[in-house]
Amino acid sequence: MNRKIMIVDDNEYVRASVDIICESGQLDLTSAASGMECLQRLKEGFRGVILMDIMMPEMDGWDTIREMVDRDLYQGNIVVMLTGMGEPDSKMEGLQEYVSDYMTKPFNPDELLDSLEYYLTLLNTPVDNHER
């Protein structure tokens, strides 16, 4: 069963907080401090739930998702935005289908863990492609 989470955030304190939450839920956490680092982890084979910050230097969260799709690195992943922005900005346009949830900081640790468990369940549920 896949229990992998990736936090993509340039703030080390947010990454450390998510690490503690994932540890309490016995989830396997990978950290990335930038969009480029996230893409590298995906190239190396990461598949799981990605918690993506929007506001990061050089490559923001939206640009990172766009690159994931363009480089065919999106498959097998679920993206959840975890951001300080109260509402999505215009850069989200055209990317809605690639974002499963939008959570704001500060976040409730229990709610975050519940959401992660839910999305991991979705990732680990086989899709029945047979027509009935």
Side-chain angles (χ1 to χ4, degrees), residues 7-21:
I7 176 68
V8 184
D9 199 305
D10 59 317
N11 185 314
E12 67 182 288
Y13 299 108
V14 171
R15 293 193 313 269
S17 296
V18 171
D19 184 38
I20 291 166
I21 293 165

Side-chain angles (χ1 to χ4, degrees), residues 58-73:
E58 296 172 30
M59 179 183 282
D60 69 17
W62 301 125
D63 291 336
T64 303
I65 295 169
R66 211 169 257 106
E67 284 295 314
M68 288 171 61
V69 172
D70 291 348
R71 296 181 188 190
D72 200 27
L73 297 170

Side-chain angles (χ1 to χ4, degrees), residues 12-65:
E12 67 182 288
Y13 299 108
V14 171
R15 293 193 313 269
S17 296
V18 171
D19 184 38
I20 291 166
I21 293 165
C22 286
E23 209 173 273
S24 74
Q26 299 178 332
L27 304 176
D28 180 13
L29 182 69
T30 297
S31 289
S34 68
M36 289 306 291
E37 198 174 333
C38 170
L39 294 172
Q40 183 60 40
R41 301 269 189 277
L42 291 168
K43 281 187 213 172
E44 293 167 358
F46 176 89
R47 295 297 175 264
V49 178
I50 301 170
L51 297 172
M52 181 78 67
D53 187 24
I54 294 175
M55 298 179 287
M56 295 183 288
E58 296 172 30
M59 179 183 282
D60 69 17
W62 301 125
D63 291 336
T64 303
I65 295 169

Side-chain angles (χ1 to χ4, degrees), residues 34-122:
S34 68
M36 289 306 291
E37 198 174 333
C38 170
L39 294 172
Q40 183 60 40
R41 301 269 189 277
L42 291 168
K43 281 187 213 172
E44 293 167 358
F46 176 89
R47 295 297 175 264
V49 178
I50 301 170
L51 297 172
M52 181 78 67
D53 187 24
I54 294 175
M55 298 179 287
M56 295 183 288
E58 296 172 30
M59 179 183 282
D60 69 17
W62 301 125
D63 291 336
T64 303
I65 295 169
R66 211 169 257 106
E67 284 295 314
M68 288 171 61
V69 172
D70 291 348
R71 296 181 188 190
D72 200 27
L73 297 170
Y74 183 81
Q75 288 293 78
N77 293 296
I78 290 179
V79 175
V80 174
M81 304 312 288
L82 185 63
T83 180
M85 292 182 67
E87 295 180 19
D89 59 9
S90 62
K91 286 186 82 174
M92 182 179 178
E93 208 168 296
L95 296 174
Q96 296 92 328
E97 69 183 280
Y98 302 105
V99 176
S100 296
D101 203 350
Y102 192 97
M103 300 178 75
T104 57
K105 300 174 196 168
F107 50 86
N108 177 301
D110 292 329
E111 288 176 13
L112 179 60
L113 189 56
D114 287 346
S115 291
L116 292 173
E117 290 289 354
Y118 171 75
Y119 290 116
L120 286 169
T121 300
L122 288 180

